[in-house]
Amino acid sequence: MKKLFVLFLLACLVLSGCGMRTDARQVALIPAPPLSEYPLPPAEKLTQALSDRQLAVSTYERANSLETAVEQALSEGCGLFVVGLASPNEATSVINLLQPKGIPVVFYGTAPSASLSALYDKAWYIGANIEKQGELLGEALVEDYRAGRIPDKNADRLLQFAALDLDSELDKRGLATLRIFENHGIFSNELAFLQSARDEETAYIQVQQMLAQQGNSVELLLAATPELAAGAARAITESGISVPLATFGENGKTQELLSSGALLNSAAYHTDTAVQMIAAFASNASEKKPITDGLSVYLSGNSIITDCILLAPAPDAVDTSTAAVSEE
C-alpha cells in the first residue's frame, strides 16, 4: 500500500512538472501601449522578425495588467519573453516573475528604472536615447531658423512656439530641442500647449482652434508624434496661416508631409534596427548563446541604445523665400 502511495506521489510530481514545462523557442510578445516619448517598434514587425528566426510567437495583451499577461504566458509554456515597457518600474515586476524560473526576457520601450545587469543576468533592454532625438531635431530647426524657414515674426529673437503632446507637459525630446535653441542664443516662449489629442483627428480639431486664436503669433509647432503632426498639418493648410511644423518619429505619412513641405523635419528612432536587434537577442537567448553573438554592439549594464536619424525634406520642397535670420 505504501509503495502504491509513493508511486502515486511520483506520478503527480511528473504531471505537475509537465504542466509547468516551458519551451525556450516559444516567445511571449507583450507589446507596450502607445507612448509619447519612447518610440515603439511595431508589434507586427517584431512578430515577423522573431518568426524569421524560427521562433514561435504568441502575443499577449495587457487586458488587466502586465503581470497577468506574464502569468498567462507562463501557464501556456512560453520560455522566452519580449516585453514592451510602459513605465520604468515594470521591468522589476516582470523580472520578479521570470527570474525564479530562469526565463530570459528582452525589454524595449521605456527605459528601466534600474540597471538590468544588477537585477537579472538574463534580462536585456534595447531602447532609444530620447534626449538625443530632441537634440538632433533642435540642430536641424536652428538651421531652419537661421535660413528664415522658421520666421521671427516680431524680430525679438524669441521663439514663439506651440506644442502638441500626449502628456501633461513637454516631454524630454521637446525640452532637448528647445535647449539646443538656447545654446545658440535663441530663447523660447510657449504660446499654447495642447495635451489631450490622441490621434490625427483630435489633433486637427485642437490645432484648428488654436490657430483661430493665436495662429499669427505662432512661429513653430512641435508635435509629439507623426499622427498628431498629420492632423496639425491639415489644420495649418486649411487655415492659410504659415506655421512651421516639426515632429518626432516616422510613419507612412511622414515622408509625404516632408516632400510636400508641410513638415520641416522629424527626428526618428531607427525602428528597423531595433526590431532586428530584439529578434537577434531573443534568438541568441533561446539557443543559450552569448546575447550579442553575431552582432557588432556593446552592452552597457545589459542595455543597448540604438541611434536616431533625421528625416529632412527633399531640397526642392524647402521654401527659402523668407528672409534669413542673422546669427548676431
Side-chain angles (χ1 to χ4, degrees):
M1 192 69 179
K2 184 183 290 186
K3 192 177 291 186
L4 287 173
F5 181 72
V6 171
L7 290 172
F8 175 77
L9 285 178
L10 287 173
C12 289
L13 287 171
V14 170
L15 289 172
S16 175
C18 290
M20 295 301 293
R21 187 175 297 163
T22 58
D23 182 351
R25 300 196 69 79
Q26 176 66 40
V27 182
L29 173 60
I30 307 178
L35 307 172
S36 57
E37 287 186 302
Y38 285 89
L40 297 173
E44 59 274 15
K45 286 191 175 184
L46 284 172
T47 300
Q48 185 60 55
L50 291 164
S51 299
D52 288 345
R53 292 177 178 267
Q54 284 71 56
L55 295 170
V57 186
S58 298
T59 302
Y60 296 85
E61 301 297 336
R62 304 160 173 248
N64 297 312
S65 68
L66 175 57
E67 291 82 358
T68 302
V70 172
E71 288 169 350
Q72 181 185 350
L74 285 172
S75 71
E76 295 176 7
C78 292
L80 176 61
F81 282 69
V82 174
V83 179
L85 299 175
S87 68
N89 296 325
E90 285 188 342
T92 304
S93 300
V94 174
I95 287 171
N96 288 341
L97 292 169
L98 299 184
Q99 188 174 27
K101 304 177 188 300
I103 293 177
V105 57
V106 181
F107 293 115
Y108 66 95
T110 302
S113 57
S115 170
L116 290 178
S117 58
L119 295 173
Y120 183 33
D121 62 353
K122 294 183 180 180
W124 301 274
Y125 170 70
I126 296 169
N129 185 331
I130 55 175
E131 292 189 343
K132 183 65 176 178
Q133 246 189 312
E135 292 166 1
L136 192 64
L137 184 63
E139 293 291 352
L141 293 179
V142 165
E143 291 304 311
D144 287 326
Y145 183 88
R146 288 172 172 170
R149 291 187 287 271
I150 297 176
D152 185 6
K153 291 183 177 179
N154 51 11
D156 59 0
R157 286 189 66 83
L158 189 66
L159 181 68
Q160 306 286 348
F161 77 97
L164 184 61
D165 213 312
L166 300 175
D167 294 326
S168 58
E169 56 186 20
L170 198 63
D171 65 33
K172 291 178 183 177
R173 301 169 307 171
L175 292 172
T177 298
L178 297 178
R179 187 167 61 247
I180 295 298
F181 272 91
E182 291 179 8
N183 291 347
H184 289 277
I186 305 162
F187 292 87
S188 59
N189 177 53
E190 184 180 279
L191 289 178
F193 189 84
L194 314 175
Q195 66 183 50
S196 57
R198 284 292 178 272
D199 53 34
E200 180 177 336
E201 191 60 30
T202 54
Y204 164 74
I205 294 169
Q206 286 200 13
V207 173
Q208 191 179 50
Q209 294 169 346
M210 183 272 293
L211 292 174
Q213 299 173 3
Q214 297 175 286
N216 291 320
S217 301
V218 178
E219 297 169 352
L220 175 67
L221 176 58
L222 278 175
T225 68
E227 291 79 13
L228 301 186
R234 186 153 52 98
I236 291 169
T237 300
E238 291 180 7
S239 74
I241 301 171
S242 178
V243 177
L245 174 65
T247 191
F248 300 99
E250 180 180 15
N251 67 3
K253 294 185 178 180
T254 309
Q255 290 297 339
E256 181 183 335
L257 292 171
L258 286 166
S259 298
S260 70
L263 187 64
L264 274 181
N265 285 292
S266 178
Y269 179 45
H270 241 154
T271 301
D272 290 342
T273 300
V275 165
Q276 293 306 319
M277 201 173 294
I278 290 168
F281 271 40
S283 178
N284 287 339
S286 73
E287 297 175 15
K288 297 184 179 180
K289 293 180 179 179
I291 199 66
T292 58
D293 187 65
L295 300 169
S296 300
V297 295
Y298 172 72
L299 275 178
S300 175
N302 277 23
S303 298
I304 286 181
I305 303 302
T306 57
D307 290 334
C308 302
I309 54 173
L310 181 70
L311 305 174
D316 59 358
V318 176
D319 179 10
T320 58
S321 60
T322 52
V325 178
S326 170
E327 295 184 37
E328 299 179 357

